[in-house]
Amino acid sequence: MKIIVAQDYQELSRIAYGFIKDVVSANPSAVLGLATGSSPIGIYDLMAEDYAKGEVSYRNVSSVNLDEYVGLPATHNQSYRYFMQHNLFDRIDIAAQNTFVPVGTAKPQQECQRYDDLLESLPRDIQILGIGNNGHIAFNEPGTPHDSGTHIVKLDDSTRAANARFFANINEVPTHAITMGIKGIMAAKKILLVATGASKADAIAAALRGKITTDCPASVLQNHKNLIVVLDKAASAKISF
Ligand code: F6R
């Protein structure tokens, strides 16, 4: 495991983006595992900026996202597909047909199987991850088995509350999501975990220094052979080096 502590979010994003750029420069047909949420937005901004300068092309790159709300169509402004279009895909030259996000309006069980098949056919060179305050990765909440494939989850109250800021009120936050499982996440060749802010410090300490347990889903990342963690100072405050 490699842990890098950045001064602030800007530096964190620049360092994390460097790993993505390296992957795409080495392999123009790379497969990127992407995440939504606030943590990776700085990385996506830098991807778009470098693309605009003509420094990197995503023409032959594919992307696979972690998760989506059940029931939200791609056109809903809180769907994760919409987030990805707005924050990244519409700003770079990635081909629409090479971008994969679980389909929230598909038949849930069939979509889980389709997604697991997709993950097998598109091995990811690198997977970006954020972490929830309760240690979740993607929507794998505490208690999720480490061998889980893509599945439907009932969202934790704390997760719904954390995401309520993006909806008119908490009642509008979907109750279920479709998520890549822990097994699927761990199958990526390289994992890039980014976390920022004091609210993540406990989860980061449990994930990186605690026991490997389903109580803290992110702790399973300690078993990954190629884990890179980029934190800001506040998120790193509770880990020992
Ligand atoms: C997003 C995802 C979530 C977030 C996590 C952190 O696709 O799967 O696990 O990574 O909730 O969210 P932020 O980055 O908003 O703090």
XYZ file of all heavy atoms in Angstrom, residues 9 34-41 44 65-68 80 83-84 127-141 159 162-163 165-166 179 185 193-196 199-200, ligand 1:
366
model
N -6.895 19.822 -1.177
C -7.650 19.079 -2.192
C -7.069 19.248 -3.592
O -7.047 18.306 -4.396
C -9.121 19.526 -2.174
C -9.973 18.755 -3.152
C -10.192 17.388 -2.982
C -10.546 19.384 -4.243
C -10.962 16.667 -3.877
C -11.327 18.665 -5.153
C -11.528 17.305 -4.961
O -12.296 16.590 -5.862
N -14.370 4.198 -12.590
C -14.649 5.556 -12.120
C -15.672 5.558 -10.992
O -16.428 4.604 -10.813
C -15.146 6.413 -13.290
C -14.183 6.505 -14.489
C -14.808 7.330 -15.603
C -12.831 7.074 -14.084
N -15.682 6.663 -10.245
C -16.592 6.817 -9.099
C -17.305 8.155 -9.231
O -16.815 9.072 -9.900
C -15.790 6.775 -7.803
N -18.425 8.273 -8.553
C -19.087 9.576 -8.462
C -18.782 10.150 -7.075
O -17.886 9.682 -6.391
C -20.602 9.432 -8.689
O -21.106 8.487 -7.746
C -20.897 8.962 -10.095
N -19.515 11.179 -6.671
C -19.258 11.803 -5.371
C -18.339 12.998 -5.517
O -17.828 13.284 -6.600
N -18.112 13.684 -4.394
C -17.312 14.912 -4.487
C -15.811 14.626 -4.580
O -15.070 15.420 -5.169
C -17.610 15.844 -3.313
O -17.807 15.105 -2.149
N -15.347 13.503 -4.022
C -13.898 13.267 -3.980
C -13.212 13.294 -5.346
O -12.154 13.915 -5.470
C -13.600 11.941 -3.271
O -14.199 11.924 -1.999
N -13.748 12.637 -6.391
C -13.001 12.595 -7.653
C -13.216 13.794 -8.591
O -12.616 13.840 -9.668
C -13.496 11.306 -8.331
C -14.832 11.042 -7.744
C -14.928 11.755 -6.436
N -14.029 14.763 -8.185
C -14.340 15.858 -9.119
C -13.078 16.607 -9.575
O -12.926 16.948 -10.746
C -15.389 16.818 -8.504
C -16.752 16.128 -8.537
C -15.450 18.145 -9.247
C -17.900 16.955 -8.009
N -11.429 14.706 -12.279
C -12.136 14.829 -13.556
C -11.882 16.197 -14.190
O -11.744 16.309 -15.410
C -13.642 14.570 -13.367
C -13.942 13.168 -12.835
C -15.108 12.892 -12.133
C -13.045 12.117 -13.049
C -15.374 11.612 -11.651
C -13.301 10.838 -12.562
C -14.461 10.596 -11.854
O -14.714 9.332 -11.379
N -18.234 2.439 -14.303
C -18.539 3.094 -13.019
C -18.961 2.107 -11.946
O -19.327 0.962 -12.244
C -19.621 4.155 -13.214
C -19.035 5.538 -13.340
O -18.519 5.884 -14.407
N -19.073 6.315 -12.277
N -18.922 2.583 -10.715
C -19.187 1.715 -9.570
C -20.657 1.430 -9.323
O -21.025 0.331 -8.925
C -18.654 2.376 -8.293
C -17.152 2.496 -8.134
C -16.835 3.384 -6.929
C -16.538 1.117 -7.947
N -21.501 2.448 -9.507
C -22.839 2.285 -8.946
C -23.848 3.260 -9.544
O -23.485 4.192 -10.278
C -22.795 2.426 -7.413
C -21.900 3.567 -6.929
O -21.595 4.466 -7.729
O -21.508 3.561 -5.749
N -25.103 3.026 -9.209
C -26.195 3.886 -9.687
C -27.385 3.698 -8.753
O -27.550 2.648 -8.140
C -26.573 3.477 -11.132
C -27.712 4.243 -11.762
C -27.475 5.758 -11.884
O -27.598 6.443 -10.853
O -27.198 6.230 -13.000
N -26.287 8.874 -11.347
C -24.830 8.848 -11.463
C -24.398 8.909 -12.930
O -23.318 9.400 -13.244
C -24.271 7.618 -10.741
C -24.323 7.759 -9.228
C -23.905 6.731 -8.402
C -24.775 8.936 -8.619
C -23.931 6.871 -7.008
C -24.801 9.081 -7.238
C -24.379 8.044 -6.447
O -24.398 8.181 -5.073
N -24.329 12.550 -13.610
C -23.128 13.110 -12.953
C -21.890 12.890 -13.830
O -21.069 13.797 -14.023
C -22.948 12.419 -11.590
C -21.693 12.809 -10.845
C -21.742 13.713 -9.780
C -20.457 12.254 -11.181
C -20.583 14.056 -9.078
C -19.295 12.605 -10.491
C -19.357 13.494 -9.447
N -21.761 11.668 -14.335
C -20.560 11.352 -15.124
C -20.545 12.109 -16.441
O -19.488 12.566 -16.892
C -20.467 9.838 -15.373
C -20.149 9.014 -14.143
S -18.714 9.568 -13.167
C -17.388 9.508 -14.379
N -8.851 1.583 -10.714
C -10.191 1.874 -10.186
C -10.096 3.021 -9.191
O -9.411 2.912 -8.169
C -10.771 0.640 -9.495
C -12.087 0.864 -8.761
C -13.248 1.145 -9.710
O -13.559 0.324 -10.574
N -13.886 2.316 -9.575
N -10.766 4.132 -9.468
C -10.856 5.235 -8.509
C -11.930 4.886 -7.480
O -13.014 4.421 -7.839
C -11.257 6.549 -9.222
C -10.194 6.963 -10.236
C -11.494 7.665 -8.202
C -10.577 8.201 -11.054
N -11.627 5.155 -6.217
C -12.616 4.947 -5.146
C -12.656 6.145 -4.212
O -11.603 6.727 -3.913
C -12.223 3.752 -4.270
C -12.364 2.334 -4.768
C -11.959 1.384 -3.634
C -13.781 2.037 -5.231
N -13.845 6.484 -3.733
C -13.987 7.349 -2.571
C -14.344 6.437 -1.401
O -14.477 5.222 -1.561
N -14.525 7.008 -0.238
C -14.904 6.209 0.934
C -16.008 6.940 1.696
O -15.972 8.174 1.797
C -13.671 5.939 1.840
C -14.002 5.013 3.016
C -13.062 7.249 2.354
C -12.759 4.549 3.802
N -16.979 6.193 2.182
C -18.046 6.808 2.977
C -17.608 7.003 4.424
O -16.648 6.361 4.877
N -18.307 7.839 5.148
C -17.975 8.065 6.560
C -18.083 6.772 7.367
O -17.444 6.628 8.405
C -18.913 9.111 7.185
C -18.737 10.472 6.543
O -17.779 10.694 5.798
N -19.650 11.381 6.819
N -18.899 5.831 6.885
C -19.041 4.542 7.583
C -18.133 3.472 6.976
O -18.288 2.294 7.253
C -20.503 4.074 7.551
C -20.996 3.793 6.138
O -20.270 4.010 5.167
N -22.227 3.326 6.019
N -17.205 3.883 6.132
C -16.254 2.945 5.533
C -16.757 2.271 4.279
O -16.106 1.371 3.741
N -17.919 2.705 3.750
C -18.395 2.027 2.542
C -17.522 2.373 1.338
O -16.919 3.446 1.279
C -19.888 2.293 2.278
C -20.240 3.647 1.767
N -21.365 4.332 2.194
C -19.662 4.456 0.844
C -21.453 5.476 1.561
N -20.424 5.588 0.734
N -17.449 1.423 0.416
C -16.817 1.673 -0.883
C -17.851 1.286 -1.932
O -18.502 0.263 -1.791
C -15.474 0.912 -1.075
C -15.566 -0.534 -0.597
C -14.345 1.646 -0.379
C -14.300 -1.353 -0.866
N -17.970 2.108 -2.966
C -19.142 2.055 -3.822
C -20.336 2.084 -2.867
O -20.327 2.824 -1.887
C -19.122 0.846 -4.750
N -21.366 1.266 -3.086
C -22.467 1.233 -2.128
C -22.406 -0.050 -1.306
O -23.426 -0.555 -0.857
C -23.813 1.385 -2.829
C -24.262 2.812 -2.968
C -24.574 3.331 -4.209
C -24.390 3.639 -1.859
C -25.011 4.642 -4.355
C -24.814 4.956 -1.988
C -25.130 5.464 -3.237
N -21.210 -0.564 -1.102
C -21.050 -1.731 -0.227
C -21.005 -1.238 1.207
O -19.986 -0.716 1.674
C -19.767 -2.475 -0.580
C -19.828 -3.067 -1.968
O -20.532 -4.051 -2.193
N -19.138 -2.446 -2.914
N -22.132 -1.405 1.879
C -22.269 -0.890 3.235
C -21.689 -1.901 4.232
O -21.434 -3.055 3.875
C -23.765 -0.664 3.534
C -24.477 0.284 2.582
C -24.070 1.759 2.756
O -23.188 2.053 3.582
O -24.638 2.610 2.048
N -26.085 6.969 4.872
C -25.701 7.236 3.484
C -26.760 8.096 2.804
O -26.443 9.050 2.085
C -25.528 5.901 2.728
O -24.525 5.142 3.398
C -25.129 6.124 1.284
N -26.387 11.538 4.090
C -25.216 12.228 3.517
C -25.505 12.697 2.090
O -24.994 13.727 1.650
C -24.002 11.302 3.540
N -26.321 11.942 1.364
C -26.606 12.293 -0.035
C -27.831 13.196 -0.191
O -28.102 13.687 -1.289
C -26.797 11.018 -0.867
C -25.470 10.305 -1.076
O -24.437 10.782 -0.635
N -25.497 9.173 -1.735
N -28.242 16.112 0.558
C -27.913 17.473 0.133
C -28.069 17.661 -1.377
O -28.164 18.781 -1.849
C -26.496 17.844 0.590
C -25.367 17.029 -0.030
C -24.046 17.321 0.711
N -22.856 16.811 0.052
C -22.394 15.572 0.169
N -23.064 14.704 0.905
N -21.289 15.199 -0.435
N -28.087 16.569 -2.103
C -28.211 16.669 -3.558
C -29.658 16.577 -4.036
O -29.922 16.668 -5.230
C -27.386 15.567 -4.236
C -25.928 15.615 -3.855
C -25.333 14.552 -3.200
C -25.156 16.736 -4.149
C -23.988 14.595 -2.851
C -23.816 16.785 -3.796
C -23.237 15.721 -3.144
N -24.852 -1.755 -7.075
C -23.432 -1.470 -6.862
C -22.532 -2.625 -7.275
O -22.896 -3.796 -7.107
C -23.168 -1.149 -5.372
O -21.792 -0.778 -5.222
C -23.451 -2.319 -4.445
N -14.681 -4.871 -7.201
C -13.738 -3.764 -6.936
C -12.322 -4.312 -6.822
O -11.379 -3.789 -7.435
C -14.135 -3.026 -5.637
C -15.432 -2.246 -5.856
C -13.011 -2.090 -5.178
C -16.023 -1.623 -4.604
N -7.516 5.128 -4.052
C -8.503 5.597 -3.075
C -8.198 7.049 -2.721
O -7.066 7.363 -2.349
C -8.418 4.718 -1.821
C -9.243 5.138 -0.598
C -10.741 5.037 -0.872
C -8.878 4.282 0.620
N -9.194 7.908 -2.859
C -8.981 9.316 -2.503
C -9.973 9.720 -1.414
O -11.145 9.347 -1.445
C -9.117 10.270 -3.724
C -7.942 10.127 -4.655
C -10.405 10.053 -4.478
N -9.477 10.470 -0.428
C -10.355 10.932 0.652
C -9.879 12.286 1.144
O -8.677 12.539 1.254
C -10.366 9.928 1.799
N -10.838 13.125 1.453
C -10.525 14.481 1.858
C -11.420 14.902 3.025
O -12.575 14.499 3.104
C -10.689 15.414 0.626
O -10.469 16.749 1.041
C -12.052 15.323 0.015
N -14.015 14.597 8.229
C -15.112 13.638 8.421
C -14.730 12.240 7.927
O -15.398 11.262 8.250
C -16.372 14.125 7.697
O -16.153 14.100 6.310
N -13.659 12.147 7.146
C -13.226 10.833 6.639
C -12.112 10.219 7.488
O -11.701 9.092 7.234
C -12.731 10.970 5.182
C -13.770 11.476 4.189
C -14.841 10.432 3.935
C -15.973 10.956 3.081
N -15.634 11.155 1.690
C -19.587 6.901 -5.507
C -19.532 5.921 -4.451
C -19.438 6.275 -2.995
C -18.564 7.486 -2.715
C -18.497 7.756 -1.212
C -17.737 9.037 -0.915
O -19.689 6.287 -6.763
O -19.591 4.783 -4.753
O -18.938 5.166 -2.292
O -17.276 7.264 -3.207
O -19.786 7.859 -0.687
O -18.450 10.123 -1.427
P -17.818 11.582 -1.484
O -16.664 11.514 -2.436
O -18.933 12.453 -2.001
O -17.389 11.912 -0.094
